Amino acid sequence: MPFTVAGIYEYATVNGEPVVSMSMLTINADMHPFMKQFHAPDDEKRSIVVIPKGRRKDWLTCSHDQALDFLVDMPLNEYTAKPKEEISQR
């Protein structure tokens, strides 16, 4: 199922040209049981910020101060992937 990843964007003009820049927000995942497995051994572990189901509009309309409430660890076992062989059978 699709899910929402927190992001930020900006419209700017650089050298007279319109530019749109975007970025997914991440948080530290050094202590997250699943997400800490990623990145090089000595690098800080990072995780995307997933917006909970039903809160997309809240994220899109929140203030800067309210945005901090969304910067939480991804819930364990809420997001899973299907085994590769199951996907190829479709």
Side-chain angles (χ1 to χ4, degrees):
M1 295 299 299
F3 59 91
T4 302
V5 176
I8 55 175
Y9 68 95
E10 177 183 35
Y11 292 103
T13 302
V14 178
N15 297 326
E17 296 290 324
V19 175
V20 179
S21 61
M22 296 168 253
S23 182
M24 291 188 298
L25 298 183
T26 63
I27 57 174
N28 180 281
D30 286 338
M31 303 306 291
H32 192 278
F34 177 70
M35 297 305 292
K36 71 180 180 181
Q37 300 175 68
F38 302 97
H39 302 285
D42 293 329
D43 288 352
E44 178 185 15
K45 310 309 179 224
R46 305 294 299 168
S47 174
I48 58 173
V49 175
V50 176
I51 303 301
K53 290 179 184 178
R55 304 264 342 255
R56 179 184 291 175
K57 185 174 181 180
D58 296 336
W59 166 252
L60 293 173
T61 59
C62 73
S63 69
H64 288 100
D65 292 334
Q66 293 167 328
L68 293 173
D69 295 338
F70 290 92
L71 304 182
V72 297
D73 286 335
M74 184 183 308
L76 287 176
N77 302 321
E78 189 166 328
Y79 302 94
T80 59
K82 294 183 185 241
K84 185 177 179 181
E85 52 276 357
E86 187 176 327
I87 294 170
S88 63
Q89 292 174 358
R90 290 185 174 186

